[in-house]
Amino acid sequence: MACYYHLIFLILIVATYQSNGQLSPDYYSSTCPQALHIVKKAIAAAIKHETRMGASLLRFHAHDCLVNGCDGSVLLDDNATFIGEKTAASNNNSARGFNVVDVIKAQLEQTCPGVVSCADILAIAARDSVVQLGGPSWKVRLGRRDSTTASRSVANTSIPPPTSNLSALISSFIAQGLSIKDLVTLSGSHTIGLARCTSFRGHIYSESNIDPSFANSLQSTCPRSGNDSVLASLDLQSPTSFDNLYYKNLLNKKGLLHSDQELFNGSSTDFFVKRYATNTSLFFQEFAKSMIKMGNIKPLRGSAGEIRINCRKVN
């Protein structure tokens, strides 16, 4: 009998922890045990269809977490009560992967209705995308709930633009509870993905902290005016492989964005760039830690928010 009451006590502790405490990697172990497998399979299929999608889904999670916390708000369409984040400067004409999230959500709703949040889907998808492209894995903390509102104005002020200087980048991350080290580490996500001409035009024409030959090669496809939507790889050498070449590029003044090169420009962040450029294992280890930390920014828990049935709109 004593063992029985002890077991009940432990179950109550776990239930309380999961409903009111921190996020847990085992959150869906009993309510939707197939959740992780469903997301992993869908991500593998999406990246097989379009390799670029991995970077897009990783970016989704970051742009969600940096705006009022990791609450799935980036996925909401505009409605009568708010203008959402999809048309914010950092997302307009660049945020991608909504259809992939829709597919994953539909599969999860069929398997375990009303259980897995859209915010958690973004967190799992980010991890699985990194792994699929050769990067590190980590145990994703789960149990977030979804917001019922979004804000384009907050997105415009919370997500630093590619023209940001180092001071602005640091301030932006510290405001989210992230350190200077997290800034450099998470910027390593730019080892995959693409950027539009409008994002790096100023860097390749008006700045000196860039390799001249690198700038000239980009100017051939991104003129001073026009071709705004032309894309360039954030890491020209291996844009579909998650590795540490992003940092090696910074050492050679070949960062595509102004904000990238700011991380190696004679200041406090140079130390971390040098370390990651020479040690892939260290970068992978620290990236996993920083992703977990970012994923824990102001998650909605308990009775806050909701579990959206459709990630694009509130229930």
Side-chain angles (χ1 to χ4, degrees):
M1 184 64 70
C3 291
Y4 171 78
Y5 284 118
H6 180 66
L7 178 61
I8 295 298
F9 178 69
L10 288 176
I11 291 173
L12 289 173
I13 289 177
V14 171
T16 301
Y17 176 81
Q18 290 193 340
S19 63
N20 299 310
Q22 297 180 351
L23 305 177
S24 166
D26 302 319
Y27 187 79
Y28 297 113
S29 60
S30 59
T31 56
C32 192
Q34 295 174 277
L36 294 177
H37 174 72
I38 289 172
V39 178
K40 181 179 180 180
K41 186 176 179 180
I43 295 303
I47 292 178
K48 182 178 181 180
H49 177 72
E50 183 190 8
T51 310
R52 180 189 173 195
M53 188 55 66
S56 299
L57 293 169
L58 174 58
R59 187 171 182 261
F60 246 162
H61 181 45
H63 282 210
D64 182 38
C65 292
L66 294 177
V67 182
N68 290 330
C70 310
D71 59 5
S73 59
V74 70
L75 300 171
L76 286 170
D77 290 334
D78 298 351
N79 63 27
T81 62
F82 63 77
I83 298 177
E85 299 160 27
K86 292 183 176 181
T87 54
S90 57
N91 295 323
N92 196 31
N93 296 319
S94 64
R96 309 171 65 254
F98 295 101
N99 292 338
V100 175
V101 175
D102 289 341
V103 168
I104 294 172
K105 182 60 175 173
Q107 292 175 353
L108 288 168
E109 285 301 308
Q110 187 174 25
T111 304
C112 36
V115 174
V116 182
S117 69
C118 301
D120 277 349
I121 290 174
L122 292 182
I124 302 167
R127 188 272 310 275
D128 289 349
S129 294
V130 170
V131 173
Q132 191 71 24
L133 295 176
S137 183
W138 59 92
K139 289 187 177 181
V140 180
R141 274 57 169 173
L142 302 167
R144 303 167 188 80
R145 288 170 64 83
D146 298 320
S147 68
T148 56
T149 187
S151 173
R152 182 172 65 183
S153 61
V154 174
N156 279 331
T157 57
S158 297
I159 303 174
T163 54
S164 299
N165 60 29
L166 183 59
S167 177
L169 292 170
I170 292 174
S171 295
S172 176
F173 271 63
I174 288 178
Q176 302 288 353
L178 299 172
S179 67
I180 293 176
K181 181 180 180 181
D182 292 320
L183 164 63
V184 182
T185 306
L186 292 171
S187 294
S189 61
H190 285 182
T191 188
I192 54 176
L194 307 172
R196 299 172 71 229
C197 175
T198 50
S199 297
F200 59 85
R201 177 178 281 132
H203 183 47
I204 65 174
Y205 283 103
S206 307
E207 298 175 7
S208 58
N209 62 334
I210 184 171
D211 176 78
S213 62
F214 177 62
N216 289 336
S217 68
L218 293 165
Q219 290 170 9
S220 63
T221 55
C222 178
R224 289 183 180 274
S225 62
N227 285 4
D228 288 354
S229 296
V230 165
L231 299 170
S233 300
L234 289 161
D235 171 6
L236 292 178
Q237 296 159 285
S238 57
T240 59
S241 177
F242 198 95
D243 51 37
N244 72 334
L245 290 182
Y246 166 79
Y247 299 104
K248 294 183 178 181
N249 290 336
L250 296 185
L251 296 182
N252 295 315
K253 293 190 176 183
K254 293 183 178 180
L256 180 65
L257 307 178
H258 171 82
S259 55
D260 286 331
Q261 198 58 56
E262 279 288 281
L263 300 181
F264 190 77
N265 197 26
S267 58
S268 58
T269 52
D270 288 9
F271 169 76
F272 296 110
V273 172
K274 291 177 180 177
R275 291 190 74 194
Y276 294 154
T278 57
N279 193 331
T280 301
S281 296
L282 177 64
F283 164 51
F284 279 15
Q285 176 183 339
E286 296 301 328
F287 185 82
K289 292 179 181 178
S290 289
M291 284 296 293
I292 292 171
K293 187 175 178 181
M294 182 184 72
N296 202 41
I297 297 176
K298 295 185 291 186
L300 297 177
R301 303 288 287 122
S303 60
E306 65 181 17
I307 304 298
R308 281 188 234 133
I309 304 304
N310 181 332
C311 290
R312 294 174 181 261
K313 60 184 182 180
V314 298
N315 295 340

